[in-house]
Amino acid sequence: QVQVVESGGGLVHPGGSLRLSCATSGRIRSINSMAWYRRAPGKERELVARMLSSGPTDYADFVKGRFTISGDNAKNTVDLQMNSLKPEDTAVYYCHVNFSSALGYHYNAWGQGTQVTVSS
């Protein structure tokens, strides 16, 4: 079993900052990639930022220059620093992990989500 747990959500004013954290545990041989997705009310889940274990990162256009993804391969954790938050960033944010098992198979795991609300 693999567990993925997010933390750090909350209520923030427009222009403010929040830092989300994601920790993984369980039967993981190696992490291939970690990512943050979000789902706003009435919308589909969308990719926010992704980081490969080798280092390259990828961001959705709507967060470029405002959000930064970073991770610790040794600890199997990934953070999302969110600056200059806007009301349209309000959503449930999910951590996604693609990992390899001891037998070399690739699996996906999701966290339960953390609510981010940007409002004055």
Side-chain angles (χ1 to χ4, degrees):
Q1 295 289 344
V2 171
Q3 293 78 43
V4 180
V5 180
E6 304 102 333
S7 61
L11 173 64
V12 64
H13 293 309
S17 298
L18 277 177
R19 189 177 184 88
L20 305 182
S21 296
C22 174
T24 61
S25 61
R27 301 171 66 87
I28 297 175
R29 186 184 73 178
S30 62
I31 298 286
N32 302 311
S33 67
M34 299 187 78
W36 289 95
Y37 287 73
R38 72 184 188 186
R39 179 162 56 200
K43 295 187 177 181
E44 297 291 321
R45 185 160 56 188
E46 58 187 356
L47 176 68
V48 176
R50 176 172 48 211
M51 184 177 69
L52 301 181
S53 59
S54 55
T57 58
D58 183 33
Y59 294 91
D61 287 343
F62 51 79
V63 302
K64 284 182 179 177
R66 300 189 298 126
F67 292 10
T68 302
I69 189 170
S70 60
D72 187 328
N73 287 340
K75 297 180 179 179
N76 289 344
T77 60
V78 64
D79 292 345
L80 185 68
Q81 178 66 42
M82 305 185 295
N83 299 326
S84 302
L85 283 161
K86 306 174 182 180
E88 51 264 42
D89 293 318
T90 295
V92 178
Y93 284 71
Y94 297 90
C95 180
H96 171 267
V97 178
N98 180 271
F99 65 94
S100 296
S101 68
L103 295 179
Y105 295 109
H106 287 204
Y107 293 95
N108 294 301
W110 292 89
Q112 79 288 350
T114 185
Q115 176 69 46
V116 171
T117 302
V118 185
S119 175
S120 55

